Amino acid sequence: MKFTLSWLKEHLDTDADIAAVADAMTMAGLEVEEVHDPIAALAPFTVARIVSAERHPNADRLQVCQVETVDGMKEIVCGAPNARAGLTTIYAPIGAFVPGLGVTLVEKPVRGVVSNGMLCSASELELADESDGILELADDLTVGTPAAGVFGAEPVIDFEVTPNRPDWLGVAGIARDLAAASLGQLKTPSVVPVAGSYPSPITVRIEAPEMCPTFSGRMIRGVKNGPSPEWLQQRLTAIGLRSINRLVDVTNLIAYDRCRPLHVYDAAKLVGGEIVVRGGQVASGAGEHEHLIALDGKTYTVDPAMCVISDAAGERPIGLGGVMGGESTGCSDDTVDVFLESAWFDPIVTAQTGRTLTISSDAQYRFARGVDPAFMVPGLELATRLIMDLCGGEPSEVVVAGQALASPAPFAFDPARVGQLTGLSLDDDRIAEILTRLGFEIARGASWTVTPPSWRRDVEGPADLVEEVARIQGFDDLPSTPLPDQGAPSRGVLNPRQARVRRARRALAAMGYAEAVTWSFTKQSTAALFGGGDDRLLVENPIAADLDCMRPSALPNLIQAAARNAARGHADAALFEIGPVYLDDSPTGQRTVIAGLIAPRSARHWGGAAEEALFGLKGDLMALLEDLGAPVGSLQLVQGQNRDWWHPGRSARLQLGPKTVMVEFGALHPRVLKALDADGPMLAFEIVLDAVPEPRGARSKARGPANLANLMPLTRDFAFVVEDAKAAGDLTRAVAGADKALIADVRVFDVYRGAGVPEGMKSVALEVVIQPVEATLTEAEIEALSARIVAAAGKAGATLRA
């Protein structure tokens, strides 16, 4: 919304300059976006007169002009075809910035002749989009007159209007708020009705009152259309509107002056003597929608949800109610008789029509926010008076169809609420003064009854009135009272689950995993790959077609995230997510899981990286479980029982007995990766957090002192022959239990099958790390420990390899 300072002062008696107005608007809640002052931009430019113009000696299309300027006689080179002796125009001196060219003038020769300035066109001063030559001004202008005064340039304020304040879309509404804020006195002239001299030959019928509850209009005969007077053209041009003709310019002026959109029909082009307001129609049998060629020259398809203005007993669309008129009944310079429309259209219907047809006209912008229904007929009267002043003509009586909207309902208001909600100390008279200036009617007594004005349908209760009082009084008057001291702030306490989630997040991040936050939904076909997809877990109103089912696992989203990274050149992914999954077999239907995924992509090598990555994933998993306080030493590793989306030969589960499955991990099945358009291999794990038992005893938040040994460790290697089906982990646990005080770690460094090892057996090579505690071990002690290791392995079914 834009307006000029002089336009505002037609409604507000004030001496404030443009800066004071913009500041008062900001303090009253109007969001000022820009203050454009063309006077400052045109300050260097003045009126000049060409004394002589001769052809340039070195260029046929240039002229060397002797120009009388405010700086004396100047020689200026000009290429405009209309440059001639005696022409009054605009002069720009050396050093002036020309806004239309974006350059600052410097003294330089033009084809050998120095030009001491510039003669300007309208486009170079940004007074017009295009121009054929330099400006031609009236001969009676005095040389040296500032250009700003010649063109009537004045400051323009551009501000953003919030959706709940359509009254700000008229200059009168802005003046009303500024007057309430004590910037001046409101002096908006009242509307004087224009008596009609004959009944209107055009009647109005409303068939869709839900789209247009009330409609008014009148005939004006014998108008003389044409270009608008200079004052009207300048007013519209200053706010960025193009002057069209007197009739159309009057409707645009009132739309911006009083927020009252209007429309003018050429009465000679109306058929049938009746205007019908209805919904869009579809041809019976053909299923074809109506079409309208609008004033912007475009053809629009009209559907039944749109409000249509038609003539000829409702057969021909001539406009879209509240949006735009039709080309068939538009006014031209030959128009003699007009029908002037002033109606109230439903905001929701108008807004939806604009969105559907991608139309954002000035009328649609205002009707979609809700214009003042009480100003419908007064707006018609005001437009009638202006048309008669500018175009002449004889008006008919006013025709009103439909039912006027009810006025806003009054409600009780306690002025003490202002102090209770804002802390402002205002007496009742001051509160009443503010509300009265804003147009509210107050019935004072033991309790107040306040009636909002017709243009403030956003005010529905006491809290809205408190906001109005605080806004006009000034938010800078609100008391700055500090909150009472509540003592030391309480520290947040995490429950055990939250603490474990935090530890897991930090541990995985420290291992190099990146956290992913994905949807709790997935596609039903994808959920079916992971044991879900039941109809009971479908979302009734999904946010997207491929997110229609609650996810049974976090892995499909991580797989797809890794695939997207790979498609963008980042194939070596390590991701994790902590969040809910949804299962039918869960008592609550929901579980919290910690899921991790890696997609190893090393350089091409004969040995490959799959085995190393799998054991690396297992190491990360065991470290995470240990950090969570899980009983790692008691976990059973079981192979061959994982669910269908895991690779059958490269996956396993960790469990505490057959009924408490804590983790599934390993390689994902190639079939699943192919279905999700992801390249393998991908390795993952999924921890059911609910299945991880809490550690016994309170877990200390502070880390204890480091227990560092002061003696060097030593290692011994053992090779044991064991059944091929025997898990290496069972063997390492048995060996580690041979002496828990001295054995610090047991690592598998080789697994061998082949010559020298019986069929169905394998050789597992272990590195045992021995950490002396009190004294260096003697050879005899080491041999005794080795014997205990061999004995422990024997109990696990292993024999020392010869």
Side-chain angles (χ1 to χ4, degrees):
M1 173 68 185
K2 295 181 180 180
F3 64 92
T4 61
L5 183 60
S6 65
W7 195 343
L8 175 68
K9 290 185 176 182
E10 289 187 1
H11 296 274
L12 186 69
D13 187 5
T14 180
D15 296 328
D17 59 11
I18 193 69
V21 170
D23 183 65
M25 289 176 64
T26 300
M27 297 308 296
L30 289 85
E31 184 180 346
V32 177
E33 291 192 335
E34 181 185 12
V35 177
H36 176 62
D37 190 356
I39 297 177
L42 294 176
F45 304 91
T46 54
V47 173
R49 185 172 289 108
I50 300 177
V51 177
S52 65
E54 299 180 358
R55 193 175 71 178
H56 194 290
N58 301 318
D60 295 338
R61 296 186 179 183
L62 297 178
Q63 297 187 75
V64 179
C65 303
Q66 302 299 321
V67 184
E68 182 184 0
T69 73
V70 68
D71 301 322
M73 196 66 66
K74 296 287 184 179
E75 185 174 70
I76 298 175
V77 178
C78 182
N82 62 332
R84 62 184 183 274
L87 177 66
T88 302
T89 186
I90 294 296
Y91 155 73
I94 297 297
F97 177 78
V98 183
L101 299 178
V103 299
T104 300
L105 298 181
V106 295
E107 185 177 331
K108 64 177 182 179
V110 180
R111 293 289 183 93
V113 178
V114 175
S115 181
N116 298 287
M118 180 180 178
L119 303 179
C120 302
S121 67
S123 62
E124 289 163 346
L125 296 181
E126 293 187 336
L127 300 175
D129 294 333
E130 298 179 357
S131 51
D132 296 331
I134 59 176
L135 285 160
E136 297 190 20
L137 306 178
D139 294 336
D140 58 353
L141 288 173
T142 304
V143 171
T145 302
V150 174
F151 302 116
E154 58 177 319
V156 177
I157 291 181
D158 184 5
F159 72 100
E160 186 68 28
V161 178
T162 56
N164 66 318
R165 294 302 304 271
D167 56 306
W168 283 344
L169 290 169
V171 179
I174 303 166
R176 184 188 302 111
D177 273 29
L178 292 179
S182 303
L183 192 69
Q185 293 295 321
L186 187 67
K187 62 173 186 177
T188 299
S190 60
V191 177
V192 179
V194 178
S197 56
Y198 57 91
S200 174
I202 298 175
T203 60
V204 178
R205 176 161 52 93
I206 299 177
E207 294 182 353
E210 72 281 0
M211 297 181 176
C212 175
T214 181
F215 189 108
S216 67
R218 78 186 327 163
M219 182 87 161
I220 305 177
R221 292 174 176 166
V223 300
K224 184 177 181 181
N225 201 9
S228 295
E230 186 176 355
W231 71 266
L232 181 52
Q233 292 189 36
Q234 287 183 351
R235 176 153 292 180
L236 297 178
T237 302
I239 61 173
L241 296 181
R242 181 173 58 91
S243 175
I244 299 175
N245 56 51
R246 295 174 192 171
L247 292 171
V248 176
D249 288 356
V250 165
T251 63
N252 287 335
L253 177 70
I254 295 177
Y256 276 80
D257 187 70
R258 302 295 184 94
C259 188
R260 166 34 62 182
L262 305 162
H263 187 66
V264 182
Y265 301 92
D266 189 328
K269 299 176 183 178
L270 292 173
V271 179
E274 182 182 41
I275 286 180
V276 180
V277 184
R278 57 173 174 80
Q281 296 179 350
V282 180
S284 59
E288 295 183 357
H289 292 270
E290 293 180 301
H291 292 83
L292 171 71
I293 302 177
L295 288 172
D296 59 1
K298 299 179 181 179
T299 301
Y300 296 99
T301 301
V302 181
D303 63 47
M306 300 177 184
C307 183
V308 173
I309 312 297
S310 64
D311 63 1
E315 295 181 1
R316 183 183 66 150
I318 59 174
L320 292 170
V323 179
M324 188 173 290
E327 188 178 76
S328 61
T329 55
C331 296
S332 66
D333 290 349
D334 299 327
T335 297
V336 176
D337 300 332
V338 298
F339 184 80
L340 181 61
E341 166 199 299
S342 179
W344 194 90
F345 298 98
D346 181 75
I348 301 299
V349 174
T350 307
Q352 186 59 51
T353 300
R355 282 193 293 268
T356 302
L357 302 178
T358 64
I359 301 177
S360 182
S361 63
D362 286 336
Q364 188 268 347
Y365 189 80
R366 285 161 172 77
F367 278 121
R369 282 154 177 77
V371 300
D372 181 7
F375 198 73
M376 182 182 72
V377 174
L380 182 70
E381 301 282 10
L382 181 60
T384 301
R385 176 67 63 186
L386 277 173
I387 290 175
M388 293 175 62
D389 291 344
L390 299 179
C391 307
E394 182 184 11
S396 74
E397 297 173 354
V398 175
V399 176
V400 179
Q403 186 69 36
L405 270 70
S407 300
F411 53 84
F413 175 64
D414 182 3
R417 292 284 288 167
V418 174
Q420 294 169 2
L421 294 181
T422 67
L424 290 170
S425 298
L426 302 178
D427 57 37
D428 291 357
D429 291 339
R430 173 56 179 161
I431 295 173
E433 177 189 7
I434 291 175
L435 295 178
T436 303
R437 286 187 175 185
L438 291 173
F440 294 88
E441 296 181 3
I442 303 176
R444 298 179 63 172
S447 62
W448 288 17
T449 300
V450 178
T451 304
S454 58
W455 60 83
R456 290 301 306 275
R457 295 178 179 269
D458 60 303
V459 176
E460 299 177 348
D464 297 324
L465 295 180
V466 172
E467 181 182 1
E468 291 300 299
V469 172
R471 180 175 64 87
I472 297 302
Q473 179 66 25
F475 292 123
D476 52 344
D477 283 352
L478 294 176
S480 56
T481 304
L483 293 173
D485 186 8
Q486 300 294 330
S490 59
R491 297 182 178 180
V493 178
L494 300 179
N495 61 37
R497 177 188 294 272
Q498 293 171 329
R500 300 176 88 177
V501 167
R502 173 182 286 186
R503 287 198 298 271
R505 182 175 286 114
R506 292 181 174 178
L508 287 167
M511 295 175 191
Y513 289 76
E515 183 173 10
V517 180
T518 67
W519 295 107
S520 294
F521 321 108
T522 187
K523 196 173 182 179
Q524 186 179 17
S525 58
T526 301
L529 295 173
F530 290 82
D534 191 280
D535 290 345
R536 290 174 294 178
L537 294 179
L538 290 180
V539 181
E540 291 185 359
N541 186 25
I543 59 177
D546 57 348
L547 296 173
D548 60 348
C549 185
M550 306 302 291
R551 65 181 185 184
S553 170
L555 293 178
N557 291 351
L558 290 182
I559 293 171
Q560 292 172 326
R564 287 192 296 269
N565 277 275
R568 289 159 177 78
H570 302 281
D572 193 6
L575 306 173
F576 79 92
E577 181 175 7
I578 304 176
V581 297
Y582 304 88
L583 304 170
D584 291 334
D585 59 352
S586 173
T588 62
Q590 178 176 323
R591 291 178 181 174
T592 301
V593 300
I594 304 172
L597 179 140
I598 60 174
R601 297 290 189 276
S602 62
R604 296 179 64 185
H605 188 267
W606 64 270
E611 289 293 334
E612 181 181 354
L614 181 57
F615 283 104
L617 177 79
K618 181 184 176 184
D620 293 342
L621 173 61
M622 300 305 290
L624 175 60
L625 290 173
E626 187 172 359
D627 194 69
L628 292 176
V632 176
S634 303
L635 292 178
Q636 300 172 356
L637 187 142
V638 180
Q639 293 180 278
Q641 296 186 20
N642 282 31
R643 288 173 287 186
D644 294 341
W645 55 90
W646 298 100
H647 193 295
R650 293 172 53 77
S651 61
R653 58 170 52 174
L654 295 175
Q655 61 188 36
L656 288 171
K659 294 184 178 180
T660 307
V661 179
M662 191 181 300
V663 185
E664 287 189 336
F665 72 98
L668 292 163
H669 202 292
R671 170 182 53 82
V672 173
L673 297 180
K674 183 178 180 181
L676 297 179
D677 196 23
D679 294 331
M682 286 190 182
L683 313 174
F685 63 81
E686 195 166 35
I687 304 172
V688 180
L689 191 58
D690 306 295
V692 180
E694 292 289 337
R696 296 179 181 177
R699 187 184 180 97
S700 175
K701 295 182 179 179
R703 181 177 296 179
N707 185 16
L708 301 178
N710 56 359
L711 298 173
M712 289 292 293
L714 66 149
T715 62
R716 286 293 184 267
D717 294 343
F718 299 86
F720 295 101
V721 177
V722 68
E723 292 181 2
D724 202 0
K726 186 73 172 180
D730 294 341
L731 180 60
T732 59
R733 279 194 295 271
V735 170
D739 192 326
K740 295 182 179 180
L742 292 176
I743 298 176
D745 195 10
V746 180
R747 294 189 286 259
V748 178
F749 68 87
D750 185 45
V751 177
Y752 172 74
R753 300 174 183 85
V757 176
E759 186 73 21
M761 307 293 283
K762 62 183 176 183
S763 172
V764 179
L766 304 179
E767 180 185 46
V768 180
V769 180
I770 302 169
Q771 177 61 64
V773 179
E774 297 178 353
T776 303
L777 298 178
T778 64
E779 189 65 29
E781 290 172 333
I782 295 174
E783 289 299 329
L785 178 59
S786 299
R788 291 198 298 273
I789 290 174
V790 173
K795 291 180 181 180
T799 58
L800 190 63
R801 183 179 175 188

